[in-house]
Every structure is written in C-alpha cells, then in structure tokens.
C-alpha cells in the first residue's frame, strides 16, 4: 500500500535521530555523516534496523545534508547522487522486507533566499532538484523536507521535489517556543503555503520538546486537512560538561504522541535526542489508534510569510488595496522607471494602516523592464508589510518572476476565459501554488448578461480543476461596467455575483471604482454601488482603502449582511475610534522631518532609499552625529524592542540591520575628522559568536576621531585573536563589544588571558547586553554605555 493510502488508514510511526547514533558509533566530530553511507554502510543499516525492530513504519535515509551546498563544506559537492543512491539502497534493504517505507530526508541549505540572503530562487531550486531526483531515481516511497525554518526555502524545495517525480512529499518545519518558525511563519501560514504546492502532509520536527509543541500541533491540525507529522526533540537541549543532553523520557514522549493523535496528527516520531527506546514507546502508545480524517472548508486563503488572510463566503469582506498601480499616477510611473521603491513602500504602509488586508501590485509602465520592476517591488514589500500580495499583470513572465520571489501564497490578478490566458496563467498558478482572480470575459469580450458571465466562470473553474487547482482558490470577478455609458450593466453585474455564489459556491471580487468613470463626485457612486455589491454577496473588492467612505461602507455592510456577527468588529472599531490594522511600520508622511523619515526608514528596513534620505538630511544642515543619536539609533532600538516583544520577526530585524549598516557606511566619512595628537592604541572587537557590529563600529570611529589608533578586528572574533592582536600592536587597551547574553561570556575569558599573560593592557567592555555590574564582576577595567562615554573612559584608562 502506498504512503498516501496508509496515512489515511493507520497512524504511522516514523524513526528518530540518526546523527547522534552515528556519533555514538564513532562518526568523528566535523566529519560528513552522509559519507558514511558509502564508507560505513553496515553502521547506517544497523541504526535503521534498531528503529524497525521497535515498530517504525517509516525510516528516513541518512541524507539530511546530502545536497551540494552542505557537502561543499567537506569538499564533497560532487557526490550528491552517490550518497543519496547509497543511502536509499541501505534503507530499502532493511525496510522493504518488513513492509516499512523509506523516506528520503532533505534538510535546508542553511542560507537565506533573496531578499533576506544571497541565494536566488533558481539556485536553491536547482540544488533541491538534484537531490530529489537522486532520491526518486533510487525509489524512495516518500520525500521528507525536514527542519525547514524559512518558508521561502520550503517553497523552492517543494517545487523542486514535485518536478523530481511523482513521489509524496512531507513538508516539515521547525517552530520555536514562540510558536513560529525563526523567520516568523505561523503554523496556519505554513500549512496554507505547502498545501497548494502539492505537499502530501505537513509537519513539525526538531524545534523543541513535545510539551512546547502542543499548541503548534493544535494549530496545524486545525488549519489543514492534510495528514500532520509530529517529530519533536527529546526535550529542550541542555549543556552538561560541554555536551548537549536531551532529557525527555520515552514514556513522556509517548504520552504526548497519543495526545497529538487525538488532536489529529497521524505520523508520529522523534528528532534530536530521541532513540529507538523513544520510538518504541511511541509505537506502543499510538498503534491501533485511528487517524482523524478532517474535511474542513477553509475558503480562499492567501498568505504572506507571516500571516494568512481568509476570504470566506461567511466571513468579513476583504479590502484589496489598489494604489500600487501606476496607471494615471505620474510620480509612481517615474519611480518605477528610475528603479526606486520609495512611493511603493510609503503607499503600501499607508494602505495597510487604512485597513487593506491584501495589496494589489502592478508595475505596468510602458518602456520599463517589468520583470525587474516587479522583482524590486516584491522584494521591498514582502519584508515590509504582513499583508499578502496580489500580483497584477497580464505578462506571464512578470507573473512568474513575482511568484518565484514571493515567499507566501499570492493571488494572480488575473486569468480569464480566453484560451491564451487559460493556457498561460493556470499552469503558473498550479506550479507556484497561487490563488486566482478569474475575470468573466473570454475571446468574445465581456458577455452582456449575468448567465453568460456565469458560464465563463464555470469554464475557468473547470479548466483550473482539471489542472489540479482547487475551486476554492478561485475568486470570480463579475466585472463592472461604467454606469454612465452602460447603465444596464450594473444589475447584470450584481446578478452575476449572486449566481456565481449560489451556483458555483465560489467567492467573488470586483474592481469597484470602474463603475463611476465620467461622472462627478465619483466616490459617492462608488460607495453606493459597493454597498449594493456587498448586499449581493461580494466577498472582496479592489479599492482605495484610504477612501474613508469606501471602508466605512465595507464595515457597515458587513453588519447589515450578517457577516460581522453581532456587529462585533464594527462596535470594537467605533469604540476604539482609532486607525485599523497594526501596521508593520508606520508610513513616513511626506511632511515628516528628516529625522522622522530616517527613523521610519530604519523601522521599515528601507535600505534602498536610506542613503538618499541621509543625503537630504545632511543637505539641510543636520550633522552626522545628530542623525545617529536622534534618528538611526532610536530606530534600531525600537526594532529590537519590537523583535523582543514578537511583533517584528527575523526578516525585519535583518533588513533594519542592513539599513543601519548602510547608513553608517555613508556617515563614516562625515564622522571622521583628522585628529592631531596620538593618545594610544586600542584593539577593538565584537566577541566570538556575535555578529552585531553597528555599535562597535560607532565606537571605533569615535575613538579614531579622538586620537586613538584603532585596530578594529571586526565581529565574531575569536578570543585568542584578540589577545594576539593586542600583543602584536602593543595595545594600551582592548575594547570588547557584546550584544547577546550568550556571547558576553567570552569577555571574562579574554580578561583572564590578559592577566595570565601579564599584558600591560587595560580592558574596556560595552554593548547592549553588558552592564556596569557585569563589567565589575568579570574584572574589566571599565564599562561604557555609549560611544561618547567610551571615548571618555578610554582616555582615562590609557592615562
Ligand atoms: Co540581533 N539581537 N540578533 N541582530 N539585534 C539583539 C541584540 C536582541 C537584544 C534583540 C531582541 O531580542 N530584542 C537579541 C539578543 C537577545 C539576548 O541575547 N539578550 C538579538 C538576537 C536574539 C539576534 C539573533 C539570535 C536573531 C536570530 O537569528 N534569531 C541573531 C544573532 C546573530 C549572532 O550574533 N550570532 C541576531 C542578528 C541580528 C542582525 C544581523 C539581523 C542585526 C545586526 C546587524 C549588525 O550589527 N551588523 C541585529 C540587530 C540590528 C539587533 C538590534 C535590533 C540592534 C543592535 C544595534 O545595532 N543597536 C538588537 C536589539 C537592541 O540592542 N536593542 C538585537 C544600535 C547600536 C548603536 O547599539 O550595539 O548597543 P549598541 O552600541 C551602543 C552601545 O551599546 C555602546 O555604544 C554604542 C553606540 O552608542 N557600545 C559600546 C557598543 N559596543 C561597545 C563597546 C564598548 C563601549 C561601548 O567598549 C569596547
């Protein structure tokens, strides 16, 4: 029986850790575990057997890192196929005779995709394709993409796995204690994205212990009808005598496994620290339990990397912001031509602030490379706002590039009933897991009657379903005609909305403002028509969310049509009488002061425009130190605060960090003066394991300005390297910076070495994690809270 059949009929047990068991059997630290598939096949096989003997139904191959990027660390990048083929063969030899299945394990690359990191979609896709093709060729029963923390990377891996062959794929993420992946994706969003990319099951593995995963498992099972895999670690790792220890007992793990099956999970196993004893106990607990088959109707769901928005016939109508469209907007057209994203960012934030839940993105300017323009827009927007994006283009190449880059589940605006459109757009929606707005027009144009438009909608849905796109991922646009030219068109549109909903059971959307072309006081006509369309059952509208009347109409109509149950949302809003959705960052107002603009630019990670903002501020007579102290540093501190409280996620932290680094590079020459008198030599470093260097760089420039020769060793600097540099340069002072509680522990080691070696050199410490009290405890000669204080202290210490 195949994996897909078995997982619906029985609760399956999947094996536990491989790496730790290999180490126990002599795998040297730092050696490539996958190489043992060829050099020590009997050891790998023995571990598989241990898991099969205790009842595993699925064993995973020893191929977690058998991919080019990871094998390159060992100089073995040319052995991808060899290691994967060997691993599958070993597993099959022991699994198939006892009726167990072999899952080809695929892990993440460990580097980010654009815009967070250097990798392109195509590069990442190619690497996953190479590994998955080898696994498929070797005959795996399924592939498991495991321990993924970044949804963008998971998308590329899933698309590659689907291209590699017709093998079921399990998409498994790691979630931390906050209940999100480290780049901020929540369980529902993870499920929504992978479901449409063809995953046969979704899961959570590694992460934390089973207790910390309970909520994640509940959310996953409630968010998808797919089978759910749960393979936690054997508790949280603890460091004991320099070794990582996992303490959760087999009995406790088994207990949780039983509970997870009750929530709806159907593939249970373990990850780091689990052993055959754990898996045996899980097997004993869950065997005989039956999987809960779920058949929830979720509606149309789209997602950014951190948020899912649902459009449901019974839910609240959704506003799709229309302002990121250059038609008739000269300034936006000029910006797109110049390759900038300033207005795009500002308008995106303003629309989200005004209540848009999804943003339509169109870069259609004549004579512009629209693929590149769309790329810029998507990259800027997907880490700026949490609203999912609607890709608005008629050019398949532009749509494809956007869908490759986007790390969530987008909507394509649009497909229509023309043969050419169906043939080009539907395959893109299928391949990249996107939802669709379906326009009810075809090769004959816009049909005049509602029933003809219904027929076009029916045809599009049928063609989409034939291609494997589920009908709930299609939202029908029944098209608005201009009332001044074709008054008979309005009732037909309204009728078509009702018919599409009743007869096809689909959600509907409209570009409402077309109705009022050519009339005075267009907002009035738009709002009245909008209310009528909502009464006919409209579920979403592409509109200007900054048009207050439209948003008020939407909210009031939701009450009147019973979609805002007990008027809860309406009342809450009226009571609060404030803005709407919490924006990811506030939009810089055009009249804002230069300092406010810079502050907001750091908050929104606007690395594309920060230099021009700084230039403008300097041109207005502000000095570099003022910009740092009054705008940039407060900005990055606010980012840190939001990250700490969980309203910002790693991508935003990274973008803000890059913006800050870019600012500093621009300001460095402004800050540097030419000191005359030499005061002393300082060796400066951010400590080992710590990559935060923004503050250290400021201290560095300030010390140089005040006559110190600064030997700046950079960030993540080994303790001994600091000592070596201090001796070599006969430093008067060592300056150590640390921003994390986990890295500041290197400071006492350096101080101890200075004392051991009897160096005639003082040690000054600083950085956000460090306090005066800590400095005293570890025996530092001084602590400085900021760069100005650091200069004063350094002068004092070198006498
Ligand atoms: Co990260 N980060 N970060 N981060 N980051 C912090 C430090 C954090 C407090 C955020 C939070 O949770 N609220 C948190 C640490 C928690 C803790 O340990 N207690 C954190 C975390 C968790 C992480 C990661 C683990 C996130 C992840 O991957 N999941 C990761 C760690 C990577 C690593 O180091 N191994 C990480 C990564 C990053 C980025 C790369 C994205 C980026 C850094 C980019 C870069 O530096 N090139 C980044 C950023 C930007 C921050 C925050 C938001 C800002 C740091 C900063 O630049 N501040 C930060 C939150 C915060 O500090 N509020 C945070 C502005 C700078 C001017 O201040 O460096 O303090 P500061 O320097 C001041 C003074 O302290 C003093 O003078 C400077 C000027 O006034 N000073 C000295 C500094 N060094 C001195 C030395 C001296 C004397 C004075 O004598 C030698």
């Amino acid at each position: 029986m195949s994996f897909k059949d078995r997982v619906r009929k029985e609760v399956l047990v999947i094996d536990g850790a491989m790496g730790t068991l290999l180490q126990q059997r002599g795998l040297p630290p730092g050696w490539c575990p996958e190489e043992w598939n060829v050099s020590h096949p009997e050891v790998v096989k023995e571990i598989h057997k241990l898991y099969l003997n205790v009842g595993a139904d699925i064993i995973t191959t020893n191929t977690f890192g058998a991919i080019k990027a990871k094998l390159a660390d060992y100089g073995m990048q040319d052995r991808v196929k060899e290691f994967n083929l060997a691993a599958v063969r070993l597993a099959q030899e022991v699994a198939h005779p006892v009726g167990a299945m072999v899952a080809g394990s695929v892990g993440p690359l460990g580097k980010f995709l654009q815009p967070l990191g250097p990798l392109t979609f195509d590069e990442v896709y190619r690497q996953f394709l190479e590994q998955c093709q080898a696994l498929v060729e070797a005959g795996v029963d399924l592939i498991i993409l495991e321990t993924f923390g970044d949804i963008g990377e998971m998308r590329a891996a899933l698309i590659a796995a689907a291209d590699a062959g017709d093998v079921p794929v399990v998409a498994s993420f790691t979630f931390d204690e906050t209940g999100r992946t480290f780049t901020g994706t929540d369980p529902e969003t993870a499920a929504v994205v992978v479901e449409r990319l063809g995953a046969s099951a979704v899961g959570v593995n590694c992460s934390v212990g089973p207790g910390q995963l309970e909520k994640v498992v509940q959310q996953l099972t409630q968010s998808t009808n797919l089978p759910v895999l749960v393979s936690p670690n054997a508790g949280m790792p603890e460091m004991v005598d320099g070794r990582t220890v996992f303490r959760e007992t087999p009995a406790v793990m088994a207990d949780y496994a039983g509970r997870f099956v009750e929530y709806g999970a159907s593939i249970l196993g373990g990850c780091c620290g689990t052993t055959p004893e754990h898996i045996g106990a899980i097997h004993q607990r869950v065997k005989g339990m039956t999987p809960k088959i779920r058949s929830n109707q979720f509606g149309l769901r789209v997602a950014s990397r951190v948020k899912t928005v649902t459009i449901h016939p019974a839910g609240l109508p959704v506003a799709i912001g229309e302002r990121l469209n250059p038609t008739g907007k000269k300034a936006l057209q000029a910006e797109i031509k110049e390759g900038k994203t300033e207005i795009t960012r500002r308008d995106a934030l303003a629309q989200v602030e005004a209540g848009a839940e999804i943003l339509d993105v169109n870069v259609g300017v004549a004579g512009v490379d629209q693929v590149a323009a769309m790329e810029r827009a998507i990259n800027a927007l997907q880490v700026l706002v949490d609203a999912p994006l609607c890709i608005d283009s008629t050019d398949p190449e532009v749509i494809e590039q956007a869908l490759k880059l986007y790390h969530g589940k987008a909507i394509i605006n649009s497909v229509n009933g023309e043969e050419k459109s169906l043939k080009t757009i539907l395959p893109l929606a299928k391949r990249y897991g996107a939802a669709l707005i379906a326009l009810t027009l075809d090769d004959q144009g816009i049909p005049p009657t509602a029933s003809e438009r219904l027929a076009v909608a029916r045809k599009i849905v049928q063609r989409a379903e034939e291609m494997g796109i589920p009908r709930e991922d299609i939202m029908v646009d029944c098209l608005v005609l201009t009332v001044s030219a074709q008054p008979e068109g309005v009732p037909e549109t309204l009728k078509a909305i009702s018919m599409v909903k009743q007869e096809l059971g689909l959600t509907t959307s409209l570009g409402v403002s077309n109705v009022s072309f050519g009339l005075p006081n267009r907002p009035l006509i738009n709002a009245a028509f909008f209310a009528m369309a909502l009464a006919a059952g409209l579920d979403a509208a592409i509109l200007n969310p900054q048009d207050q009347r439209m948003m008020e109409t939407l909210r009031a109509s939701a009450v009147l049509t019973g979609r805002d149950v007990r008027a809860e949302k309406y009342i809450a809003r009226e009571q609060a009488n404030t803005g709407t959705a919490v924006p990811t960052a506030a939009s810089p107002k055009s009249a804002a002061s230069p300092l406010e603009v810079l502050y907001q630019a750091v908050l929104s990670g606007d690395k594309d425009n920060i230099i021009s903002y700084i230039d403008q501020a300097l041109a207005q007579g502000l000095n570099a130190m003022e910009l740092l102290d009054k705008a940039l540093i407060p900005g990055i501190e606010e980012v840190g605060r939001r990250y700490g409280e969980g309203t910002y996620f790693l991508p935003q932290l990274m973008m803000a960090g890059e913006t800050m680094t870019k600012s500093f590079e621009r300001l460095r020459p402004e800050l540097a003066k030419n000191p005359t008198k030499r005061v002393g030599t300082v060796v400066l470093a951010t400590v080992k394991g710590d990559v935060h260097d923004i503050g250290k760089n400021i201290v560095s420039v300030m010390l140089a300005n005040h006559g110190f020769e600064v030997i700046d060793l950079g960030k993540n600097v080994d303790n001994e390297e600091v000592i070596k540099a201090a001796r070599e340069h006969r430093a008067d002072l060592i300056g150590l910076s640390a921003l994390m509680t986990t890295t500041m522990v290197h400071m006492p080691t350096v101080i101890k070495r200075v004392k051991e070696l009897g160096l005639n050199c003082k040690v000054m410490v600083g950085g956000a994690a460090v306090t005066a009290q800590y400095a005293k405890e570890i025996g530092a000669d001084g602590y400085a809270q900021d760069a100005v204080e650091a200069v004063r202290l350094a002068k004092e210490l070198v006498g």
Side-chain angles (χ1 to χ4, degrees):
M1 215 191 308
S2 72
F3 167 75
K4 281 187 184 170
D5 291 332
R6 280 188 72 176
V7 77
R8 298 253 158 213
K9 295 201 171 87
E10 52 185 306
V11 172
L12 297 171
V13 174
I14 187 165
D15 60 5
M18 166 66 78
T20 36
L21 298 198
L22 285 175
Q23 280 161 9
Q24 283 169 12
R25 283 157 183 75
L27 177 77
W31 189 250
C32 172
E34 290 77 15
E35 193 272 340
W36 273 35
N37 294 326
V38 289
S39 64
H40 295 71
E42 68 296 343
V43 179
V44 178
K45 241 160 120 169
E46 183 216 330
I47 296 170
H48 286 323
K49 274 195 212 153
L50 291 175
Y51 285 117
L52 290 168
N53 290 345
V54 295
D57 302 296
I58 305 171
I59 53 170
T60 42
T61 54
N62 179 33
T63 53
F64 182 75
I67 192 162
K68 196 166 263 166
K70 293 252 193 83
L71 294 180
D73 292 343
Y74 309 99
M76 299 182 187
Q77 61 276 16
D78 298 329
R79 304 181 72 181
V80 173
K81 188 163 177 182
E82 180 193 355
F83 290 168
N84 281 285
L85 293 184
V88 178
R89 204 187 53 241
L90 295 177
Q92 284 170 340
E93 280 169 15
V94 287
H96 285 175
V98 295
M101 290 176 281
V102 172
S105 164
V106 177
L109 298 181
K111 281 190 188 134
F112 285 116
L113 270 84
Q114 289 170 353
L116 304 180
L119 301 178
T120 64
F121 175 92
D122 289 335
E123 277 172 80
V124 174
Y125 165 85
R126 271 197 298 276
Q127 294 214 25
F128 283 117
L129 183 67
E130 183 186 18
Q131 185 182 9
C132 292
Q133 276 174 336
L135 292 169
V136 172
E137 184 185 323
V140 285
D141 299 295
L142 62 143
I143 287 175
I144 172 164
L145 306 172
E146 50 180 338
T147 328
F148 279 63
D150 180 46
I151 189 85
E153 187 176 10
M154 177 61 96
R155 283 186 84 245
L158 264 170
I159 293 168
D163 286 352
D166 187 16
V167 169
V169 183
V170 181
S172 181
F173 295 85
T174 64
F175 296 92
D176 60 26
E177 303 93 315
T178 65
R180 289 182 178 259
T181 68
F182 67 88
T183 52
T185 303
D186 60 285
E188 182 183 17
T189 298
V192 166
V193 172
V194 305
E195 207 172 70
R196 262 307 307 285
L197 288 168
S200 301
V202 58
V204 46
N205 77 288
C206 202
S207 315
V208 285
Q212 288 90 0
L213 278 188
E214 204 162 356
K215 209 161 159 220
V216 168
V217 177
Q218 283 174 313
Q219 287 173 347
L220 269 183
T221 50
Q222 285 161 12
S223 308
T224 177
N225 296 329
L226 287 177
V228 169
L229 167 144
V230 189
S231 290
N233 290 341
M236 293 291 275
E238 288 172 38
M239 286 301 279
V240 178
D241 299 333
R243 282 186 322 116
T244 313
V245 177
F246 294 88
R247 294 192 191 276
E248 205 66 280
T249 62
V252 172
M253 294 276 295
D255 216 43
Y256 275 110
R259 208 179 298 178
F260 295 155
V261 175
E262 275 155 27
Y263 294 145
S266 50
I267 311 163
L268 284 302
C271 203
C272 305
T274 56
T275 61
E277 288 70 45
H278 291 94
I279 300 303
I282 291 172
H283 167 78
Q284 293 298 332
R285 175 70 185 82
V286 303
K287 267 298 133 182
M289 291 178 86
T290 356
K292 283 200 171 139
I293 304 297
R294 302 174 300 279
S295 49
N296 296 319
Q297 301 289 321
F298 294 105
L300 188 155
R301 292 187 291 179
V302 284
S304 65
R305 54 162 51 245
V306 295
K307 185 177 167 189
T308 295
V309 170
T310 302
I311 303 173
H312 192 280
L316 290 169
V318 168
I320 304 175
E322 70 177 10
R323 292 194 48 75
L324 301 180
N325 185 329
T327 315
K329 296 194 190 93
K330 286 215 173 96
L332 185 55
Q333 285 170 10
E335 160 165 305
I336 292 173
K337 277 189 188 151
E338 287 164 27
K340 292 185 178 162
T341 56
E342 200 177 327
I343 302 172
T344 303
R345 288 164 178 273
R346 201 179 56 212
D347 279 0
L349 288 166
Q351 290 186 92
V352 173
E353 269 179 70
E357 291 191 69
I358 298 172
L359 297 182
D360 190 76
V361 189
N362 181 313
V363 292
V365 177
V368 160
D369 175 354
Q370 290 190 24
V371 171
M374 185 58 94
E375 213 173 295
R376 275 192 300 276
I378 299 287
N379 277 342
L381 294 171
Q382 67 174 329
V383 284
L384 179 71
V385 287
D386 58 7
L389 302 181
C390 179
I391 314 299
D392 187 352
S393 174
T394 47
D395 183 340
E397 216 190 317
V398 174
I399 297 175
E400 176 155 24
Q401 187 59 14
L403 295 176
K404 275 185 185 179
L405 284 177
Y406 194 49
H407 294 175
K409 178 181 171 190
I411 314 187
I412 299 175
N413 183 12
S414 57
V415 65
N416 64 51
E418 289 171 16
E419 206 45 42
K420 189 172 158 222
S421 172
L422 293 168
K423 282 199 174 128
T424 51
I425 305 299
L426 292 182
L428 291 176
K430 168 69 183 154
R431 178 171 178 73
Y432 296 100
L436 286 157
I437 291 182
L439 304 186
T440 50
L441 61 87
D442 59 14
D443 297 285
Q444 275 71 51
I446 301 178
T449 66
S451 49
E452 287 166 304
R453 288 186 210 172
L454 175 71
V456 176
R458 205 187 291 279
K459 172 175 146 190
I460 298 173
V461 172
Q462 190 194 335
R463 293 284 291 272
E465 284 192 313
E466 279 165 16
M467 197 163 272
I469 299 169
R471 60 194 290 122
E472 63 270 18
D473 266 351
I474 299 169
M475 185 155 63
V476 179
D477 184 331
C478 296
L479 300 172
V480 184
L481 302 179
T482 306
V483 66
S484 53
Q486 289 166 282
E488 70 285 359
V490 168
E492 287 304 319
T493 301
L494 298 175
K495 204 158 120 198
I497 293 172
S498 307
M499 287 170 86
V500 164
K501 292 194 66 122
Q502 276 162 19
E503 297 191 29
L504 301 180
L506 298 178
T507 48
T508 52
S509 80
L510 270 188
V512 179
S513 50
N514 292 347
V515 76
S516 60
F517 275 125
L519 287 176
N521 197 0
R522 288 186 60 189
L524 180 59
I525 299 287
N526 291 344
F529 174 66
F530 188 28
M532 293 163 81
L534 288 164
L538 187 70
D539 303 290
I542 302 187
L543 49 74
N544 176 5
Q546 288 163 294
D547 179 340
Q548 205 182 338
R549 183 151 28 181
M550 291 297 268
M551 293 307 283
E552 283 174 353
T553 303
L554 185 146
R555 292 184 195 109
S557 300
V559 176
L560 299 170
T561 53
R563 297 174 79 142
D564 183 357
V565 182
R566 289 183 296 278
E568 270 171 19
K569 295 274 183 314
Y570 180 83
I571 294 169
R573 199 192 139 76
E574 288 302 308
Q575 279 171 344
N577 197 23
T578 58
T580 47
V582 179
T584 322
S587 54
K589 310 285 181 292
S590 37
S593 72
L595 292 177
E596 177 64 13
V597 168
L598 285 177
Y599 175 80
Q600 293 296 349
V602 175
L603 274 196
S604 61
D606 187 356
K607 63 185 169 110
D608 295 343
N609 300 303
I610 191 79
I611 302 290
S612 82
Y613 293 149
I614 289 180
D615 288 342
Q616 285 164 30
L618 292 172
Q620 290 185 32
L622 292 155
N623 73 50
M625 208 58 216
E626 245 178 313
L627 302 190
L628 270 174
D629 280 348
K630 295 189 180 155
L632 299 168
I633 294 179
I636 196 77
E637 279 173 357
E638 176 60 14
V639 169
R641 196 190 63 72
R642 292 185 188 189
Y643 180 74
E645 74 177 15
T647 49
Y648 263 26
F649 306 108
L650 189 60
Q652 287 142 318
L653 186 69
M654 290 170 67
M655 297 304 273
E658 281 179 41
T659 307
M660 208 44 205
T661 302
K662 235 176 142 181
S663 320
F664 184 71
E665 286 314 313
R666 170 65 189 86
L667 291 175
R668 190 192 285 271
E670 307 289 331
L671 292 167
K673 297 184 215 141
N674 282 323
T676 43
K677 197 164 150 267
R678 197 178 155 277
V679 183
T681 301
V682 188
V683 163
L684 195 63
T686 300
V687 297
K688 192 176 166 192
D690 200 324
V691 302
H692 298 88
D693 65 354
I694 295 169
K696 186 266 304 165
N697 289 343
I698 297 174
V699 172
S700 175
V701 173
M702 292 289 283
L703 287 172
N705 282 349
H706 287 82
F708 285 90
E709 185 187 349
V710 181
I711 314 298
D712 189 338
L713 302 178
K715 58 195 173 187
N716 186 16
V717 183
D718 200 72
N719 299 337
E720 279 309 313
E721 212 182 303
V722 176
I723 297 294
K724 195 169 148 237
R727 294 173 93 171
E728 222 171 271
H729 295 277
R730 297 173 182 279
D732 305 293
L733 183 65
I734 291 175
L736 298 175
S737 178
L739 266 85
M740 300 199 292
T741 43
T742 46
T743 57
M744 64 188 203
V745 293
H746 292 293
M747 290 176 163
T749 313
V750 174
I751 293 169
K752 199 167 145 229
R753 288 288 287 147
V754 168
K755 287 184 181 153
E756 271 171 16
L757 296 168
L759 300 185
N760 185 19
C761 166
K762 301 271 172 50
V763 181
M764 161 174 97
V765 295
V770 185
T771 60
Q773 173 67 23
Y774 182 73
K776 206 167 151 195
E777 279 168 21
I778 62 174
D781 297 294
Y783 158 79
Q785 200 183 340
D786 55 33
V788 175
E789 175 63 17
V791 172
R792 195 203 54 74
L793 177 67
K795 283 185 176 167
E796 185 186 307
L797 291 176
V798 303

